[in-house]
Amino acid sequence: MTCTDVTCPVCGMSCDDIYIELTDDAVLTKNACLMGDAKFQELRSHHRLTKPLVHGEEASWDEALEKTADILVNAKRPFFFMGSETSNEAMAVGIEIAEYLGGLVDGNATICHGPTIMGLQLSGQVGSTLGECKNRADLNIYWGCNPADSHPRHMSRHSQFARGFWTEQGFKGRKVIVVDPRRSPTCEAADLHVQLKPGKDHELIDALMTMLRGEEPHPTVEEVTGVSRETLNKMAEMVKECKFGVIWVGLGIASSRGHHYNAAIAMRFTHECNKFTKFVINANRGHCNVAGFNQVLAWTHGFPFAVDFSRGIPRYQPGEYSCVDALSRGEVDAMIVMCANLGGHLPKKAVERLAKIPMIAIETSPGTNAFMSDIILPGVFDGMECEGTFYRMDNVPIYARSFTKPPFDFTESNEHTLKQLFEIVKKKKAEKDAREAKQ
Amino acid sequence: MPERQSSEVDDMEITLNTGSTVYQGAIIKGGKTFADAEGYMREAAYCNINPEDFDALGRPWFVRITNEYGDSVVLRAKKTNTQQRGEVFVPRGVWANIVVTVYTESTGSPTYKNLKVDIEKCNGPVLDPVTLMRQEYFGGNMHKIWKEKAED
Ligand code: SF4
């Protein structure tokens, strides 16, 4: 079977031009990058989880769902983690269950571009779609990101090497600045590599803003940022001279000291640049539908991530209701993780908590997350085995078709899994409430 | 080389940056973190070090990185020109996360980058992901934990 224009559910780019040839024992892909291809190969892998597991033992689907519902209903502070390799539709159901049970809900954004979103709330973002950048941008600034590794097709599809409507010359008509303490593979394409000292992004942006306003930056700027005046001047000139500039921000900004303040000043810098020319700032979001979680939670409950429903209304407080913080403080007493690899991506102290509490995973492969879990419900690949919508990293929703079916028949999609679970949860919660009312 | 030995240090404070690489990404996305543990170790259990720091550390095969809370992890040492002096890079993964701290500055996002750690030469070994997680999170025994949790 062959299928064209498949959407890739791996990184935030959601490339929608993948060609797939699927046989009984092999998958052939065209256009997908190394990471995308690895995910498509999963369709025919030997290690796929196809049976529900309870404490490492095979169980029936109904039994696994019942046990899951028991854990969630009896928990005082259940945590719902909506990972990003699944559709908006599935996330919406997960959020609904969290609200129903008065739990906490968070998604991958929290350990990724959460601070960038907080920066956006502080300063406002001048954003654009990826198409806009492809067609217009003649200056790309990769700030604290390394698309050559994290978004392998980024430069060829939407930025540096792409030919657009007004940028027919492709890379010959574009300039690149990379701001990174490391000489990352992306630097190979750079006209200017601004190799700052780690964590000095805020100071560097501040100096550039001062220069754009026609004033002298503080004399210690070279010493503090590790960047020479010459490089700073060159960067400021390139910014002023371009017709349409894009700053692609990565986790270099969001994950180092200063977190959201770095993001906020980067956005203010974009405002400043707009006094000279057209400039936008976009976040290079790492995971397929990580932007979707922010969107879904924002349009259902008004906040982008880190929400607590324990008082019946949604309350938003990063640092308190966010996954890493709530876990490391030890207050979460049950966790359900949908399509995310928390065991392998959270810092030690948070994972230690995961090891202590009952954990349920909707999971496709026996990796670090499955290793931490008490109950495993086999996951479905959205965009391959069922349809769904993803938000691309520029917040444009992309509809992903399916081209095959899951290798089991107890569920059709992660959304379906959660809907089945919700029914049981409602029943059990009603029983529990009745029991408590009697006492 | 005598001059190098004279500049050798036992333990050095250094800045740790973690981040993704496409090869590590391919292993994770392909669901092979455990299915191809060797591949995962090859792509995520190393530490890139600047040549001068590498010499100062005594040209190690393995290094141990320790954070301010005393959590430490052993990684393969790699000498690369991509790093500046005084900073090292470890790809994202279970190894890096042993030393990443949960200090989020009230944003929810841990300090994955720009983290002050100590680095020293050591004799290995680098643990495979299963052994590492067993040891760090389950006190060496997976089944015991499952049983305890079930009895709760
Ligand atoms: S760049 Fe991202 S979305 Fe595109 S094929 Fe690679 S992993 Fe998939």
Side-chain angles (χ1 to χ4, degrees), chain A residues 149-165:
Chain A
D149 269 322
S150 59
H151 301 75
R153 299 183 68 207
H154 189 279
M155 290 196 279
S156 61
R157 285 197 86 207
H158 297 298
S159 57
Q160 193 49 23
F161 302 112
R163 288 173 198 269
F165 195 83

Side-chain angles (χ1 to χ4, degrees), chain B residues 1 13 49-50 55 63 80 106 109 122 141:
Chain B
M1 276 168 266
E13 194 184 70
I49 308 172
N50 173 287
D55 287 344
V63 286
T80 50
S106 291
S109 178
C122 76
N141 190 343

Side-chain angles (χ1 to χ4, degrees), chain B residues 61-125:
Chain B
W61 285 99
F62 298 102
V63 286
R64 180 191 303 279
I65 290 182
T66 311
N67 69 11
E68 58 178 309
Y69 302 106
D71 300 321
S72 71
V73 65
V74 176
L75 300 153
R76 266 179 304 123
K78 266 195 192 177
K79 175 171 131 177
T80 50
N81 290 319
T82 54
Q83 298 306 119
Q84 297 191 66
R85 277 207 79 173
E87 56 159 296
V88 292
F89 175 82
V90 180
R92 242 181 238 165
V94 286
W95 294 273
N97 284 323
I98 300 292
V99 287
V100 167
T101 59
V102 285
Y103 179 53
T104 75
E105 289 185 300
S106 291
T107 62
S109 178
T111 319
Y112 287 116
K113 311 226 180 234
N114 187 19
L115 182 72
K116 289 267 174 285
V117 290
D118 284 330
I119 184 167
E120 63 191 320
K121 180 177 173 172
C122 76
N123 295 325

Side-chain angles (χ1 to χ4, degrees), chain A residues 273-416:
Chain A
C273 296
N274 271 291
K275 291 181 185 158
F276 296 89
T277 178
K278 180 75 189 139
F279 232 86
V280 298
I281 182 165
N282 286 324
N284 265 353
R285 310 207 57 172
H287 256 78
C288 171
N289 198 22
V290 59
F293 174 74
N294 299 135
Q295 296 286 345
V296 174
L297 194 57
W299 40 259
T300 52
H301 295 94
F303 301 112
F305 66 108
V307 161
D308 175 18
F309 291 109
S310 63
R311 299 218 182 144
I313 48 151
R315 293 184 300 158
Y316 164 63
Q317 187 65 51
E320 195 173 352
Y321 309 140
S322 36
C323 171
V324 170
D325 305 87
L327 278 175
S328 57
R329 273 201 314 276
E331 63 181 57
V332 176
D333 63 351
M335 181 101 183
I336 176 163
V337 182
M338 173 167 67
C339 306
N341 205 349
L342 288 193
H345 288 291
L346 296 188
K348 182 178 171 188
K349 196 136 183 274
V351 185
E352 273 173 357
R353 182 69 190 164
L354 284 185
K356 289 202 184 88
I357 58 176
M359 177 167 152
I360 303 128
I362 300 181
E363 183 57 77
T364 54
S365 62
T368 50
N369 206 50
F371 191 69
M372 310 302 299
S373 306
D374 300 75
I375 300 181
I376 295 170
L377 304 168
V380 179
F381 292 128
D382 293 33
M384 297 193 222
E385 296 171 342
C386 68
E387 58 172 19
T389 12
F390 298 138
Y391 274 86
R392 205 167 62 181
M393 61 191 211
D394 53 351
N395 293 318
V396 170
I398 306 270
Y399 167 69
R401 288 173 301 150
S402 63
F403 55 90
T404 177
K405 288 257 169 301
F408 33 71
D409 51 12
F410 39 75
T411 180
E412 289 158 13
S413 60
N414 299 324
E415 182 195 4
H416 186 207

Side-chain angles (χ1 to χ4, degrees), chain A residues 128 132-133 136-139 242-246 277-280:
Chain A
S128 74
E132 195 87 8
C133 302
R136 294 178 195 272
D138 58 345
L139 174 67
C242 76
K243 291 204 201 83
F244 187 109
V246 192
T277 178
K278 180 75 189 139
F279 232 86
V280 298

Side-chain angles (χ1 to χ4, degrees), chain A residues 8-15 18 31-33 35-36 151-154:
Chain A
C8 170
V10 175
C11 83
M13 297 251 309
S14 303
C15 295
I18 315 290
N31 292 348
C33 71
M35 290 198 291
H151 301 75
R153 299 183 68 207
H154 189 279

